């Protein structure tokens, strides 16, 4: 069965700290990977996506993610977080050619000023 | 422009009411989706329309009835809902080409069933 796991339920960081949120997937075949962010009271926004090619993808707001096929991982990183990064972060995956997007349970990030 | 709009933003309805949620996109996308999101949970897929035809129904109860009048519009008709149906209902759209599909989400309708 297809699944996405986010192991960190809640991460608390001070401003300027580095961030890494874990995401592991279980999919048969080619997989497309996404990170979405949901700021408090706002809608889901696409941070970045990976389909193929360079495994290091850069997204908006200084975020990047690395696809490591051997580890079935797609971790999200940011070198220096800001208070405004406080939000819920969802990793998601879909099979190639599929409309069905499977979400992880989400990681809540709290950044302390 | 990657905007998906949804109306209304908030909706309160009784269990005997009939109401509709509306979603609109003008990105030329040919796939549109309804999701349900409970607090502190990820979105759960309900329906997918591809080229105005229902492609996926994730065993959603019949009190939820989707409709896709044209390629830009998606409705969700609600009837005889239960209090446990209270949630944020999200609409999304994607290209529909089945190649590198990227879903873009609207702001959602927050539904409260009394």
């Amino acid at each position: 069965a297809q699944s996405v796991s986010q192991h960190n339920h809640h991460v608390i960081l001070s401003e300027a700290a580095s961030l890494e949120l874990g995401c592991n997937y279980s999919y048969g075949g080619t997989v497309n990977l996404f990170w979405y962010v949901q700021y408090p009271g706002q809608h889901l926004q696409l941070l970045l996506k990976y389909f193929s090619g360079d495994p290091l993808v850069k997204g908006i707001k200084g975020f990047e993610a690395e696809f490591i096929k051997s580890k079935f991982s797609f971790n999200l990183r940011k070198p220096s977080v800001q208070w405004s990064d406080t939000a819920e972060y969802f990793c998601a995956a879909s099979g190639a050619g599929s409309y069905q997007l499977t979400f992880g349970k989400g990681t809540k990030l709290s950044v302390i000023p | 422009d990657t905007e998906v709009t949804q109306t209304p933003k908030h909706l309160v309805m009784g269990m005997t009411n009939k109401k509709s949620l509306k979603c609109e996109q003008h990105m030329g996308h040919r796939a549109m989706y309804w999701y349900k999101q409970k607090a502190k949970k990820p979105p759960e897929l309900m329906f997918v329309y591809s080229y105005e035809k229902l492609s996926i129904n994730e065993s959603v109860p019949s009190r939820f009835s989707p409709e896709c009048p044209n390629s830009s519009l998606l409705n969700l008709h609600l009837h005889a809902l239960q209090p446990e149906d209270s949630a944020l209902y999200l609409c999304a759209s994607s290209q529909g080409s089945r190649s590198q599909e990227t879903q873009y989400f609207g702001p959602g309708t927050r539904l409260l069933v009394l």
Side-chain angles (χ1 to χ4, degrees), chain A residues 34 36 38 43-44 46 49 51-52 90 97-101 103-105, chain B residues 31 33 35 37 42-43 50 56 58 96 98 100-103 105-107:
Chain A
F34 307 84
Y36 286 88
Q38 193 167 30
H43 63 286
L44 278 165
L46 181 68
K49 57 189 177 182
F51 295 117
S52 62
F90 292 98
S98 172
Y99 289 134
Q100 288 178 291
L101 193 58
F103 283 88
K105 291 187 176 181
Chain B
Y33 309 74
Y35 286 85
Q37 186 179 24
S50 172
I56 296 173
E58 292 285 7
R98 289 193 178 268
Q100 301 190 349
E101 291 290 324
T102 302
Q103 293 185 29
F105 287 81

PDB file of all heavy atoms in Angstrom, chain A residues 34 36 38 43-44 46 49 51-52 90 97-101 103-105, chain B residues 31 33 35 37 42-43 50 56 58 96 98 100-103 105-107:
ATOM      1  N   PHE A  34       6.113  15.901  -2.947  1.00  0.00           N
ATOM      2  CA  PHE A  34       5.734  17.287  -2.722  1.00  0.00           C
ATOM      3  C   PHE A  34       5.881  17.627  -1.238  1.00  0.00           C
ATOM      4  O   PHE A  34       5.722  16.773  -0.370  1.00  0.00           O
ATOM      5  CB  PHE A  34       4.263  17.521  -3.110  1.00  0.00           C
ATOM      6  CG  PHE A  34       3.901  17.070  -4.490  1.00  0.00           C
ATOM      7  CD1 PHE A  34       3.563  15.749  -4.730  1.00  0.00           C
ATOM      8  CD2 PHE A  34       3.896  17.974  -5.540  1.00  0.00           C
ATOM      9  CE1 PHE A  34       3.226  15.328  -6.014  1.00  0.00           C
ATOM     10  CE2 PHE A  34       3.560  17.560  -6.827  1.00  0.00           C
ATOM     11  CZ  PHE A  34       3.223  16.242  -7.058  1.00  0.00           C
ATOM     12  N   TYR A  36       3.984  20.580   1.112  1.00  0.00           N
ATOM     13  CA  TYR A  36       3.027  21.672   1.220  1.00  0.00           C
ATOM     14  C   TYR A  36       3.147  22.281   2.613  1.00  0.00           C
ATOM     15  O   TYR A  36       3.480  21.600   3.577  1.00  0.00           O
ATOM     16  CB  TYR A  36       1.593  21.163   1.041  1.00  0.00           C
ATOM     17  CG  TYR A  36       1.216  20.809  -0.373  1.00  0.00           C
ATOM     18  CD1 TYR A  36       1.447  19.526  -0.875  1.00  0.00           C
ATOM     19  CD2 TYR A  36       0.606  21.741  -1.212  1.00  0.00           C
ATOM     20  CE1 TYR A  36       1.089  19.188  -2.173  1.00  0.00           C
ATOM     21  CE2 TYR A  36       0.237  21.409  -2.509  1.00  0.00           C
ATOM     22  CZ  TYR A  36       0.482  20.130  -2.976  1.00  0.00           C
ATOM     23  OH  TYR A  36       0.122  19.797  -4.267  1.00  0.00           O
ATOM     24  N   GLN A  38       0.987  24.799   5.460  1.00  0.00           N
ATOM     25  CA  GLN A  38      -0.298  25.398   5.831  1.00  0.00           C
ATOM     26  C   GLN A  38      -0.051  26.333   7.011  1.00  0.00           C
ATOM     27  O   GLN A  38       0.130  25.889   8.153  1.00  0.00           O
ATOM     28  CB  GLN A  38      -1.316  24.317   6.186  1.00  0.00           C
ATOM     29  CG  GLN A  38      -2.740  24.805   6.272  1.00  0.00           C
ATOM     30  CD  GLN A  38      -3.740  23.651   6.321  1.00  0.00           C
ATOM     31  OE1 GLN A  38      -3.450  22.571   6.814  1.00  0.00           O
ATOM     32  NE2 GLN A  38      -4.934  23.867   5.786  1.00  0.00           N
ATOM     33  N   HIS A  43      -4.566  28.483   3.616  1.00  0.00           N
ATOM     34  CA  HIS A  43      -4.727  27.263   2.843  1.00  0.00           C
ATOM     35  C   HIS A  43      -3.388  26.604   2.547  1.00  0.00           C
ATOM     36  O   HIS A  43      -2.338  27.186   2.778  1.00  0.00           O
ATOM     37  CB  HIS A  43      -5.471  27.561   1.542  1.00  0.00           C
ATOM     38  CG  HIS A  43      -4.737  28.486   0.614  1.00  0.00           C
ATOM     39  ND1 HIS A  43      -4.627  29.836   0.841  1.00  0.00           N
ATOM     40  CD2 HIS A  43      -4.069  28.252  -0.540  1.00  0.00           C
ATOM     41  CE1 HIS A  43      -3.945  30.384  -0.138  1.00  0.00           C
ATOM     42  NE2 HIS A  43      -3.595  29.456  -0.989  1.00  0.00           N
ATOM     43  N   LEU A  44      -3.465  25.386   2.062  1.00  0.00           N
ATOM     44  CA  LEU A  44      -2.266  24.645   1.689  1.00  0.00           C
ATOM     45  C   LEU A  44      -1.563  25.321   0.519  1.00  0.00           C
ATOM     46  O   LEU A  44      -2.164  25.600  -0.507  1.00  0.00           O
ATOM     47  CB  LEU A  44      -2.638  23.222   1.256  1.00  0.00           C
ATOM     48  CG  LEU A  44      -2.845  22.197   2.353  1.00  0.00           C
ATOM     49  CD1 LEU A  44      -3.547  20.985   1.787  1.00  0.00           C
ATOM     50  CD2 LEU A  44      -1.532  21.806   2.975  1.00  0.00           C
ATOM     51  N   LEU A  46       1.929  25.118  -2.021  1.00  0.00           N
ATOM     52  CA  LEU A  46       3.004  24.257  -2.496  1.00  0.00           C
ATOM     53  C   LEU A  46       4.354  24.908  -2.196  1.00  0.00           C
ATOM     54  O   LEU A  46       4.608  26.037  -2.597  1.00  0.00           O
ATOM     55  CB  LEU A  46       2.859  24.034  -3.998  1.00  0.00           C
ATOM     56  CG  LEU A  46       3.896  23.144  -4.645  1.00  0.00           C
ATOM     57  CD1 LEU A  46       3.746  21.700  -4.171  1.00  0.00           C
ATOM     58  CD2 LEU A  46       3.786  23.214  -6.173  1.00  0.00           C
ATOM     59  N   LYS A  49       8.440  20.632  -5.253  1.00  0.00           N
ATOM     60  CA  LYS A  49       8.029  19.348  -5.808  1.00  0.00           C
ATOM     61  C   LYS A  49       9.199  18.682  -6.507  1.00  0.00           C
ATOM     62  O   LYS A  49      10.124  19.355  -6.961  1.00  0.00           O
ATOM     63  CB  LYS A  49       6.874  19.539  -6.785  1.00  0.00           C
ATOM     64  CG  LYS A  49       7.217  20.501  -7.927  1.00  0.00           C
ATOM     65  CD  LYS A  49       5.991  20.828  -8.751  1.00  0.00           C
ATOM     66  CE  LYS A  49       6.339  21.854  -9.830  1.00  0.00           C
ATOM     67  NZ  LYS A  49       5.166  22.251 -10.635  1.00  0.00           N
ATOM     68  N   PHE A  51       9.864  15.588  -9.451  1.00  0.00           N
ATOM     69  CA  PHE A  51       9.356  14.596 -10.397  1.00  0.00           C
ATOM     70  C   PHE A  51      10.482  13.699 -10.897  1.00  0.00           C
ATOM     71  O   PHE A  51      10.350  12.476 -10.940  1.00  0.00           O
ATOM     72  CB  PHE A  51       8.666  15.275 -11.582  1.00  0.00           C
ATOM     73  CG  PHE A  51       7.432  16.034 -11.212  1.00  0.00           C
ATOM     74  CD1 PHE A  51       7.350  17.410 -11.393  1.00  0.00           C
ATOM     75  CD2 PHE A  51       6.338  15.387 -10.677  1.00  0.00           C
ATOM     76  CE1 PHE A  51       6.210  18.112 -11.043  1.00  0.00           C
ATOM     77  CE2 PHE A  51       5.191  16.087 -10.316  1.00  0.00           C
ATOM     78  CZ  PHE A  51       5.130  17.448 -10.498  1.00  0.00           C
ATOM     79  N   SER A  52      11.593  14.326 -11.280  1.00  0.00           N
ATOM     80  CA  SER A  52      12.736  13.556 -11.780  1.00  0.00           C
ATOM     81  C   SER A  52      13.916  14.521 -11.877  1.00  0.00           C
ATOM     82  O   SER A  52      13.792  15.721 -11.642  1.00  0.00           O
ATOM     83  CB  SER A  52      12.427  12.945 -13.152  1.00  0.00           C
ATOM     84  OG  SER A  52      12.187  13.959 -14.105  1.00  0.00           O
ATOM     85  N   PHE A  90       3.281  19.457   5.377  1.00  0.00           N
ATOM     86  CA  PHE A  90       2.820  18.155   4.913  1.00  0.00           C
ATOM     87  C   PHE A  90       3.693  17.678   3.756  1.00  0.00           C
ATOM     88  O   PHE A  90       3.874  18.395   2.775  1.00  0.00           O
ATOM     89  CB  PHE A  90       1.369  18.220   4.422  1.00  0.00           C
ATOM     90  CG  PHE A  90       0.365  18.478   5.496  1.00  0.00           C
ATOM     91  CD1 PHE A  90      -0.122  19.756   5.723  1.00  0.00           C
ATOM     92  CD2 PHE A  90      -0.106  17.434   6.288  1.00  0.00           C
ATOM     93  CE1 PHE A  90      -1.066  19.998   6.715  1.00  0.00           C
ATOM     94  CE2 PHE A  90      -1.053  17.664   7.280  1.00  0.00           C
ATOM     95  CZ  PHE A  90      -1.531  18.954   7.492  1.00  0.00           C
ATOM     96  N   GLY A  97       1.499   9.501 -13.149  1.00  0.00           N
ATOM     97  CA  GLY A  97       0.259   9.336 -13.909  1.00  0.00           C
ATOM     98  C   GLY A  97      -0.987   9.220 -13.053  1.00  0.00           C
ATOM     99  O   GLY A  97      -2.074   8.985 -13.571  1.00  0.00           O
ATOM    100  N   SER A  98      -0.831   9.398 -11.748  1.00  0.00           N
ATOM    101  CA  SER A  98      -1.980   9.230 -10.848  1.00  0.00           C
ATOM    102  C   SER A  98      -2.489  10.583 -10.375  1.00  0.00           C
ATOM    103  O   SER A  98      -1.728  11.522 -10.181  1.00  0.00           O
ATOM    104  CB  SER A  98      -1.571   8.389  -9.641  1.00  0.00           C
ATOM    105  OG  SER A  98      -2.602   8.374  -8.675  1.00  0.00           O
ATOM    106  N   TYR A  99      -3.785  10.648 -10.132  1.00  0.00           N
ATOM    107  CA  TYR A  99      -4.367  11.839  -9.535  1.00  0.00           C
ATOM    108  C   TYR A  99      -4.349  11.777  -8.011  1.00  0.00           C
ATOM    109  O   TYR A  99      -4.589  12.764  -7.347  1.00  0.00           O
ATOM    110  CB  TYR A  99      -5.819  12.010  -9.984  1.00  0.00           C
ATOM    111  CG  TYR A  99      -5.994  12.405 -11.427  1.00  0.00           C
ATOM    112  CD1 TYR A  99      -6.931  11.752 -12.233  1.00  0.00           C
ATOM    113  CD2 TYR A  99      -5.236  13.432 -11.989  1.00  0.00           C
ATOM    114  CE1 TYR A  99      -7.104  12.124 -13.555  1.00  0.00           C
ATOM    115  CE2 TYR A  99      -5.414  13.797 -13.306  1.00  0.00           C
ATOM    116  CZ  TYR A  99      -6.347  13.149 -14.091  1.00  0.00           C
ATOM    117  OH  TYR A  99      -6.523  13.505 -15.399  1.00  0.00           O
ATOM    118  N   GLN A 100      -4.117  10.586  -7.472  1.00  0.00           N
ATOM    119  CA  GLN A 100      -4.259  10.417  -6.023  1.00  0.00           C
ATOM    120  C   GLN A 100      -3.002  10.838  -5.296  1.00  0.00           C
ATOM    121  O   GLN A 100      -1.919  10.309  -5.526  1.00  0.00           O
ATOM    122  CB  GLN A 100      -4.615   8.971  -5.692  1.00  0.00           C
ATOM    123  CG  GLN A 100      -6.035   8.642  -6.093  1.00  0.00           C
ATOM    124  CD  GLN A 100      -6.422   7.210  -5.820  1.00  0.00           C
ATOM    125  OE1 GLN A 100      -5.934   6.313  -6.467  1.00  0.00           O
ATOM    126  NE2 GLN A 100      -7.308   7.012  -4.859  1.00  0.00           N
ATOM    127  N   LEU A 101      -3.151  11.798  -4.404  1.00  0.00           N
ATOM    128  CA  LEU A 101      -2.056  12.351  -3.624  1.00  0.00           C
ATOM    129  C   LEU A 101      -2.189  11.824  -2.202  1.00  0.00           C
ATOM    130  O   LEU A 101      -3.228  12.014  -1.568  1.00  0.00           O
ATOM    131  CB  LEU A 101      -2.161  13.879  -3.656  1.00  0.00           C
ATOM    132  CG  LEU A 101      -1.007  14.729  -3.174  1.00  0.00           C
ATOM    133  CD1 LEU A 101       0.249  14.426  -3.948  1.00  0.00           C
ATOM    134  CD2 LEU A 101      -1.372  16.202  -3.299  1.00  0.00           C
ATOM    135  N   PHE A 103      -0.998  12.004   1.610  1.00  0.00           N
ATOM    136  CA  PHE A 103      -0.347  12.935   2.527  1.00  0.00           C
ATOM    137  C   PHE A 103       0.219  12.198   3.741  1.00  0.00           C
ATOM    138  O   PHE A 103      -0.351  11.214   4.220  1.00  0.00           O
ATOM    139  CB  PHE A 103      -1.345  13.976   3.036  1.00  0.00           C
ATOM    140  CG  PHE A 103      -1.668  15.054   2.044  1.00  0.00           C
ATOM    141  CD1 PHE A 103      -2.692  14.880   1.123  1.00  0.00           C
ATOM    142  CD2 PHE A 103      -0.952  16.245   2.027  1.00  0.00           C
ATOM    143  CE1 PHE A 103      -2.998  15.874   0.207  1.00  0.00           C
ATOM    144  CE2 PHE A 103      -1.258  17.243   1.119  1.00  0.00           C
ATOM    145  CZ  PHE A 103      -2.281  17.057   0.202  1.00  0.00           C
ATOM    146  N   GLY A 104       1.313  12.710   4.263  1.00  0.00           N
ATOM    147  CA  GLY A 104       1.750  12.331   5.588  1.00  0.00           C
ATOM    148  C   GLY A 104       0.876  13.015   6.620  1.00  0.00           C
ATOM    149  O   GLY A 104       0.042  13.857   6.288  1.00  0.00           O
ATOM    150  N   LYS A 105       1.077  12.681   7.894  1.00  0.00           N
ATOM    151  CA  LYS A 105       0.224  13.224   8.950  1.00  0.00           C
ATOM    152  C   LYS A 105       0.562  14.659   9.293  1.00  0.00           C
ATOM    153  O   LYS A 105      -0.173  15.306  10.044  1.00  0.00           O
ATOM    154  CB  LYS A 105       0.318  12.341  10.193  1.00  0.00           C
ATOM    155  CG  LYS A 105      -0.336  10.982   9.990  1.00  0.00           C
ATOM    156  CD  LYS A 105      -0.387  10.185  11.269  1.00  0.00           C
ATOM    157  CE  LYS A 105      -1.144   8.887  11.031  1.00  0.00           C
ATOM    158  NZ  LYS A 105      -1.259   8.067  12.262  1.00  0.00           N
TER     159      LYS A 105
ATOM    160  N   ALA B  31      -8.317  18.766 -14.179  1.00  0.00           N
ATOM    161  CA  ALA B  31      -8.616  17.869 -13.065  1.00  0.00           C
ATOM    162  C   ALA B  31      -8.942  18.717 -11.847  1.00  0.00           C
ATOM    163  O   ALA B  31      -8.234  19.690 -11.553  1.00  0.00           O
ATOM    164  CB  ALA B  31      -7.432  16.948 -12.771  1.00  0.00           C
ATOM    165  N   TYR B  33     -10.568  18.517  -7.621  1.00  0.00           N
ATOM    166  CA  TYR B  33     -10.623  17.596  -6.492  1.00  0.00           C
ATOM    167  C   TYR B  33     -11.400  18.210  -5.332  1.00  0.00           C
ATOM    168  O   TYR B  33     -11.353  19.421  -5.120  1.00  0.00           O
ATOM    169  CB  TYR B  33      -9.204  17.328  -5.965  1.00  0.00           C
ATOM    170  CG  TYR B  33      -8.184  16.917  -6.988  1.00  0.00           C
ATOM    171  CD1 TYR B  33      -7.644  17.830  -7.883  1.00  0.00           C
ATOM    172  CD2 TYR B  33      -7.711  15.605  -7.021  1.00  0.00           C
ATOM    173  CE1 TYR B  33      -6.689  17.461  -8.815  1.00  0.00           C
ATOM    174  CE2 TYR B  33      -6.745  15.218  -7.952  1.00  0.00           C
ATOM    175  CZ  TYR B  33      -6.244  16.149  -8.831  1.00  0.00           C
ATOM    176  OH  TYR B  33      -5.287  15.763  -9.742  1.00  0.00           O
ATOM    177  N   TYR B  35     -11.438  17.628  -1.139  1.00  0.00           N
ATOM    178  CA  TYR B  35     -10.830  16.997   0.018  1.00  0.00           C
ATOM    179  C   TYR B  35     -11.588  17.429   1.270  1.00  0.00           C
ATOM    180  O   TYR B  35     -12.142  18.523   1.329  1.00  0.00           O
ATOM    181  CB  TYR B  35      -9.374  17.459   0.199  1.00  0.00           C
ATOM    182  CG  TYR B  35      -8.377  16.905  -0.757  1.00  0.00           C
ATOM    183  CD1 TYR B  35      -8.162  17.489  -2.002  1.00  0.00           C
ATOM    184  CD2 TYR B  35      -7.589  15.804  -0.412  1.00  0.00           C
ATOM    185  CE1 TYR B  35      -7.216  16.991  -2.882  1.00  0.00           C
ATOM    186  CE2 TYR B  35      -6.621  15.299  -1.282  1.00  0.00           C
ATOM    187  CZ  TYR B  35      -6.450  15.900  -2.505  1.00  0.00           C
ATOM    188  OH  TYR B  35      -5.496  15.405  -3.364  1.00  0.00           O
ATOM    189  N   GLN B  37     -10.746  17.995   5.397  1.00  0.00           N
ATOM    190  CA  GLN B  37      -9.647  18.094   6.348  1.00  0.00           C
ATOM    191  C   GLN B  37     -10.193  18.377   7.742  1.00  0.00           C
ATOM    192  O   GLN B  37     -10.783  19.434   7.985  1.00  0.00           O
ATOM    193  CB  GLN B  37      -8.640  19.177   5.945  1.00  0.00           C
ATOM    194  CG  GLN B  37      -7.403  19.189   6.849  1.00  0.00           C
ATOM    195  CD  GLN B  37      -6.379  20.239   6.455  1.00  0.00           C
ATOM    196  OE1 GLN B  37      -6.698  21.245   5.812  1.00  0.00           O
ATOM    197  NE2 GLN B  37      -5.123  20.013   6.837  1.00  0.00           N
ATOM    198  N   PRO B  42      -4.197  15.514   8.048  1.00  0.00           N
ATOM    199  CA  PRO B  42      -3.973  15.838   6.637  1.00  0.00           C
ATOM    200  C   PRO B  42      -5.270  15.792   5.850  1.00  0.00           C
ATOM    201  O   PRO B  42      -6.256  15.202   6.304  1.00  0.00           O
ATOM    202  CB  PRO B  42      -3.033  14.708   6.191  1.00  0.00           C
ATOM    203  CG  PRO B  42      -3.343  13.576   7.110  1.00  0.00           C
ATOM    204  CD  PRO B  42      -3.698  14.196   8.434  1.00  0.00           C
ATOM    205  N   PRO B  43      -5.291  16.401   4.684  1.00  0.00           N
ATOM    206  CA  PRO B  43      -6.488  16.324   3.835  1.00  0.00           C
ATOM    207  C   PRO B  43      -6.759  14.879   3.391  1.00  0.00           C
ATOM    208  O   PRO B  43      -5.833  14.110   3.139  1.00  0.00           O
ATOM    209  CB  PRO B  43      -6.126  17.191   2.630  1.00  0.00           C
ATOM    210  CG  PRO B  43      -4.998  18.052   3.086  1.00  0.00           C
ATOM    211  CD  PRO B  43      -4.251  17.245   4.093  1.00  0.00           C
ATOM    212  N   SER B  50     -11.992  14.454 -13.779  1.00  0.00           N
ATOM    213  CA  SER B  50     -11.014  14.606 -14.855  1.00  0.00           C
ATOM    214  C   SER B  50     -11.777  14.901 -16.131  1.00  0.00           C
ATOM    215  O   SER B  50     -12.634  14.092 -16.539  1.00  0.00           O
ATOM    216  CB  SER B  50     -10.191  13.332 -14.992  1.00  0.00           C
ATOM    217  OG  SER B  50      -9.361  13.381 -16.130  1.00  0.00           O
ATOM    218  N   ILE B  56     -12.707   9.570  -9.634  1.00  0.00           N
ATOM    219  CA  ILE B  56     -12.477   8.860  -8.383  1.00  0.00           C
ATOM    220  C   ILE B  56     -13.526   9.293  -7.363  1.00  0.00           C
ATOM    221  O   ILE B  56     -13.795  10.480  -7.196  1.00  0.00           O
ATOM    222  CB  ILE B  56     -11.067   9.152  -7.820  1.00  0.00           C
ATOM    223  CG1 ILE B  56      -9.983   8.626  -8.765  1.00  0.00           C
ATOM    224  CG2 ILE B  56     -10.902   8.538  -6.422  1.00  0.00           C
ATOM    225  CD1 ILE B  56      -8.571   9.019  -8.354  1.00  0.00           C
ATOM    226  N   GLU B  58     -13.947   8.269  -3.418  1.00  0.00           N
ATOM    227  CA  GLU B  58     -13.324   7.496  -2.352  1.00  0.00           C
ATOM    228  C   GLU B  58     -14.352   7.002  -1.339  1.00  0.00           C
ATOM    229  O   GLU B  58     -14.246   7.263  -0.137  1.00  0.00           O
ATOM    230  CB  GLU B  58     -12.235   8.322  -1.652  1.00  0.00           C
ATOM    231  CG  GLU B  58     -11.022   8.612  -2.509  1.00  0.00           C
ATOM    232  CD  GLU B  58     -10.107   7.410  -2.691  1.00  0.00           C
ATOM    233  OE1 GLU B  58     -10.469   6.292  -2.262  1.00  0.00           O
ATOM    234  OE2 GLU B  58      -9.029   7.558  -3.266  1.00  0.00           O
ATOM    235  N   GLY B  96      -4.216  17.886 -15.285  1.00  0.00           N
ATOM    236  CA  GLY B  96      -5.077  16.874 -15.888  1.00  0.00           C
ATOM    237  C   GLY B  96      -4.410  16.077 -16.972  1.00  0.00           C
ATOM    238  O   GLY B  96      -5.043  15.225 -17.599  1.00  0.00           O
ATOM    239  N   ARG B  98      -2.011  13.980 -16.490  1.00  0.00           N
ATOM    240  CA  ARG B  98      -1.451  12.768 -15.895  1.00  0.00           C
ATOM    241  C   ARG B  98       0.077  12.707 -16.034  1.00  0.00           C
ATOM    242  O   ARG B  98       0.672  11.652 -15.883  1.00  0.00           O
ATOM    243  CB  ARG B  98      -2.080  11.488 -16.455  1.00  0.00           C
ATOM    244  CG  ARG B  98      -3.516  11.284 -16.007  1.00  0.00           C
ATOM    245  CD  ARG B  98      -3.991   9.886 -16.312  1.00  0.00           C
ATOM    246  NE  ARG B  98      -5.337   9.640 -15.869  1.00  0.00           N
ATOM    247  CZ  ARG B  98      -5.652   9.143 -14.683  1.00  0.00           C
ATOM    248  NH1 ARG B  98      -4.705   8.870 -13.808  1.00  0.00           N
ATOM    249  NH2 ARG B  98      -6.904   8.919 -14.356  1.00  0.00           N
ATOM    250  N   GLN B 100       3.306  14.684 -14.398  1.00  0.00           N
ATOM    251  CA  GLN B 100       3.791  15.683 -13.435  1.00  0.00           C
ATOM    252  C   GLN B 100       2.649  16.530 -12.874  1.00  0.00           C
ATOM    253  O   GLN B 100       2.741  17.756 -12.810  1.00  0.00           O
ATOM    254  CB  GLN B 100       4.877  16.550 -14.066  1.00  0.00           C
ATOM    255  CG  GLN B 100       6.077  15.725 -14.549  1.00  0.00           C
ATOM    256  CD  GLN B 100       7.268  16.576 -14.949  1.00  0.00           C
ATOM    257  OE1 GLN B 100       7.172  17.783 -15.070  1.00  0.00           O
ATOM    258  NE2 GLN B 100       8.404  15.921 -15.158  1.00  0.00           N
ATOM    259  N   GLU B 101       1.595  15.868 -12.484  1.00  0.00           N
ATOM    260  CA  GLU B 101       0.439  16.553 -11.904  1.00  0.00           C
ATOM    261  C   GLU B 101       0.837  17.264 -10.618  1.00  0.00           C
ATOM    262  O   GLU B 101       1.406  16.664  -9.721  1.00  0.00           O
ATOM    263  CB  GLU B 101      -0.673  15.556 -11.580  1.00  0.00           C
ATOM    264  CG  GLU B 101      -1.360  14.930 -12.764  1.00  0.00           C
ATOM    265  CD  GLU B 101      -2.228  15.918 -13.525  1.00  0.00           C
ATOM    266  OE1 GLU B 101      -2.845  16.785 -12.902  1.00  0.00           O
ATOM    267  OE2 GLU B 101      -2.249  15.823 -14.748  1.00  0.00           O
ATOM    268  N   THR B 102       0.494  18.523 -10.529  1.00  0.00           N
ATOM    269  CA  THR B 102       0.723  19.307  -9.318  1.00  0.00           C
ATOM    270  C   THR B 102      -0.600  19.897  -8.888  1.00  0.00           C
ATOM    271  O   THR B 102      -1.230  20.623  -9.657  1.00  0.00           O
ATOM    272  CB  THR B 102       1.747  20.422  -9.567  1.00  0.00           C
ATOM    273  OG1 THR B 102       2.965  19.851 -10.022  1.00  0.00           O
ATOM    274  CG2 THR B 102       1.991  21.217  -8.283  1.00  0.00           C
ATOM    275  N   GLN B 103      -1.025  19.593  -7.685  1.00  0.00           N
ATOM    276  CA  GLN B 103      -2.305  20.078  -7.200  1.00  0.00           C
ATOM    277  C   GLN B 103      -2.138  21.416  -6.479  1.00  0.00           C
ATOM    278  O   GLN B 103      -1.267  21.567  -5.633  1.00  0.00           O
ATOM    279  CB  GLN B 103      -2.937  19.047  -6.263  1.00  0.00           C
ATOM    280  CG  GLN B 103      -3.335  17.770  -6.991  1.00  0.00           C
ATOM    281  CD  GLN B 103      -4.069  16.792  -6.112  1.00  0.00           C
ATOM    282  OE1 GLN B 103      -4.754  17.170  -5.175  1.00  0.00           O
ATOM    283  NE2 GLN B 103      -3.938  15.511  -6.426  1.00  0.00           N
ATOM    284  N   PHE B 105      -4.273  24.194  -4.180  1.00  0.00           N
ATOM    285  CA  PHE B 105      -5.423  24.165  -3.281  1.00  0.00           C
ATOM    286  C   PHE B 105      -6.046  25.543  -3.107  1.00  0.00           C
ATOM    287  O   PHE B 105      -5.358  26.567  -3.103  1.00  0.00           O
ATOM    288  CB  PHE B 105      -4.995  23.640  -1.911  1.00  0.00           C
ATOM    289  CG  PHE B 105      -4.734  22.158  -1.906  1.00  0.00           C
ATOM    290  CD1 PHE B 105      -3.530  21.648  -2.358  1.00  0.00           C
ATOM    291  CD2 PHE B 105      -5.711  21.279  -1.474  1.00  0.00           C
ATOM    292  CE1 PHE B 105      -3.292  20.282  -2.370  1.00  0.00           C
ATOM    293  CE2 PHE B 105      -5.479  19.911  -1.478  1.00  0.00           C
ATOM    294  CZ  PHE B 105      -4.269  19.414  -1.935  1.00  0.00           C
ATOM    295  N   GLY B 106      -7.363  25.520  -2.918  1.00  0.00           N
ATOM    296  CA  GLY B 106      -8.075  26.726  -2.530  1.00  0.00           C
ATOM    297  C   GLY B 106      -8.034  26.924  -1.031  1.00  0.00           C
ATOM    298  O   GLY B 106      -7.514  26.079  -0.294  1.00  0.00           O
ATOM    299  N   PRO B 107      -8.611  28.029  -0.549  1.00  0.00           N
ATOM    300  CA  PRO B 107      -8.566  28.358   0.877  1.00  0.00           C
ATOM    301  C   PRO B 107      -9.507  27.514   1.723  1.00  0.00           C
ATOM    302  O   PRO B 107      -9.368  27.476   2.941  1.00  0.00           O
ATOM    303  CB  PRO B 107      -8.970  29.832   0.918  1.00  0.00           C
ATOM    304  CG  PRO B 107      -9.755  30.032  -0.322  1.00  0.00           C
ATOM    305  CD  PRO B 107      -9.211  29.103  -1.347  1.00  0.00           C
TER     306      PRO B 107
END
